[in-house]
């Protein structure tokens, strides 16, 4: 690929977001900006984690039980290389979208609060975006694919269902990588060792940051570490690695038991008036493992 894809990353940097940022740094992407949102841990941590992960590759609903108190299980990172940018995420995103009208793609791997605020403040913003790629939701009903925060809802959508609904209704083309696919996008302990033992600072960071998270997954019966947030990043460059279908997608914002649930017409007799999203449903895991190992060992 000769031209670099202009992209904006909106993250709640815990363990898998960190790996997604590092992977993105080794892909043919023109990263125009990275914004942080409250999610895996509080915003104070996700923002600082993001800045420190960026330093590594250049040189209020939370999940601390998975990602550790600071979001990265205490894994060491270098000091950030630049002072904090005080521009609000939604304003900075609007500015970049104007610079790249019809070209900028947004990858969102946390709760969609920043995007919803941006669309509320700048109603024309969705029309300037080429596409929004999201890690969130889950198409299949019930079980872990229906939800991990509740029986019905995945974490990112449950953390801010109203924001997720606003993004689903915004009119911009959407690609949704839900739990249906990301639970299959895992690395076994042996596959993780390839990255951990590669001899780089990023490899050492990967090994320490993911140890607790790997144990969490193994105790849940998953064969390895799920790298949920790398999926939409890889889809930007390697869509052939994934499969899915066009569908109508919205988010439940009122139900007592279904609050935050991703609602889709993929398999229903009733169909929404518009197919507003491409829902990713599966991943070529061998290809995923090979690509993730290659990217993360090259940082």
């Amino acid at each position: 690929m000769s031209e670099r894809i202009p992209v904006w990353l909106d993250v709640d940097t815990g363990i898998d977001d960190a790996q997604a940022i590092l992977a993105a740094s080794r892909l043919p992407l023109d990263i125009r900006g990275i914004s942080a949102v409250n999610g895996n841990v509080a915003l104070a941590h996700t923002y600082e984690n993001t800045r420190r992960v960026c330093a590594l590759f250049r040189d209020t609903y939370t999940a601390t039980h998975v990602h550790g108190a600071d979001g990265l299980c205490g894994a060491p990172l270098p000091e950030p290389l630049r002072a904090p940018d005080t521009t609000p995420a939604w304003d900075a995103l609007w500015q970049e979208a104007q610079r790249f009208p019809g070209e900028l793609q947004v990858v969102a791997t946390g709760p969609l609060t920043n995007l919803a605020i941006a669309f509320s403040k700048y109603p024309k913003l969705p029309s300037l975006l080429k596409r929004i790629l999201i890690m969130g939701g889950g198409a299949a009903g019930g079980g872990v694919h229906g939800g991990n925060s509740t029986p019905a809802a995945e974490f990112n959508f449950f953390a801010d269902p109203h924001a997720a609904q606003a993004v689903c209704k915004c009119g911009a083309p959407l690609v949704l990588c839900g739990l249906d696919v990301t639970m299959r996008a895992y690395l076994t302990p042996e596959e993780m060792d390839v990255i951990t033992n590669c001899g780089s600072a990023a490899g050492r960071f990967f090994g320490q940051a993911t140890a607790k998270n790997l144990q969490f997954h193994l105790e849940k019966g998953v064969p390895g570490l799920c790298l949920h947030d790398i999926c939409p990043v890889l889809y930007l460059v390697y869509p052939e690695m994934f499969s899915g279908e066009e569908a109508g997608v919205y988010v439940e914002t009122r139900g007592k038991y279904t609050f935050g649930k991703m609602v889709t017409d993929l398999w229903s007799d009733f169909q929404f008036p518009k197919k507003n999203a491409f829902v990713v449903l599966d991943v070529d895991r061998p290809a995923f493992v090979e690509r993730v190992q290659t990217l993360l060992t090259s940082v």
Side-chain angles (χ1 to χ4, degrees), residues 253-292:
T253 61
R254 296 184 180 182
K256 179 179 179 181
Y257 299 110
T258 57
F259 187 68
K261 177 179 174 58
M262 174 175 145
V263 181
T264 174
D265 62 1
L266 272 171
W267 301 288
S268 62
D269 292 333
F270 170 84
Q271 295 286 291
F272 290 118
K274 181 181 179 182
K275 303 293 185 184
N276 62 330
F278 182 80
V279 180
V280 180
L281 296 172
D282 206 356
V283 59
D284 180 345
R285 202 187 80 82
F288 174 85
V289 172
E290 187 277 329
R291 185 52 48 190
V292 169

Side-chain angles (χ1 to χ4, degrees), residues 5-19:
I5 301 169
V7 63
W8 185 280
L9 305 178
D10 190 63
V11 297
D12 60 335
T13 302
I15 296 160
D16 47 345
D17 303 78
Q19 312 314 321

Side-chain angles (χ1 to χ4, degrees), residues 172-242:
L174 305 177
V175 174
L176 286 168
C177 296
L179 291 174
D180 308 80
V181 59
T182 66
M183 290 299 294
R184 299 172 188 153
Y186 63 84
L187 270 61
T188 66
E190 294 75 21
E191 291 162 347
M192 292 173 63
D193 285 343
V194 173
I195 302 170
T196 301
N197 299 327
C198 71
S200 70
R204 291 190 294 274
F205 165 70
F206 177 86
Q208 186 167 343
T210 58
K212 180 180 178 180
N213 201 244
L214 171 62
Q215 190 60 36
F216 173 83
H217 281 83
L218 294 176
E219 290 174 357
K220 294 289 186 179
V222 182
L225 175 73
C226 294
L227 293 173
H228 305 279
D229 295 339
I230 288 186
C231 289
V233 171
L234 290 183
Y235 190 94
L236 280 167
V237 182
Y238 306 106
E240 69 280 0
M241 193 182 296
F242 302 89

Side-chain angles (χ1 to χ4, degrees), residues 83-107:
D85 189 335
T86 58
T87 306
W90 39 91
D91 293 336
L93 175 57
W94 168 247
Q95 292 166 9
E96 289 302 315
Q98 291 179 299
R99 291 190 180 98
F100 296 88
E103 298 180 55
L104 186 66
Q105 303 195 49
V106 175
V107 176

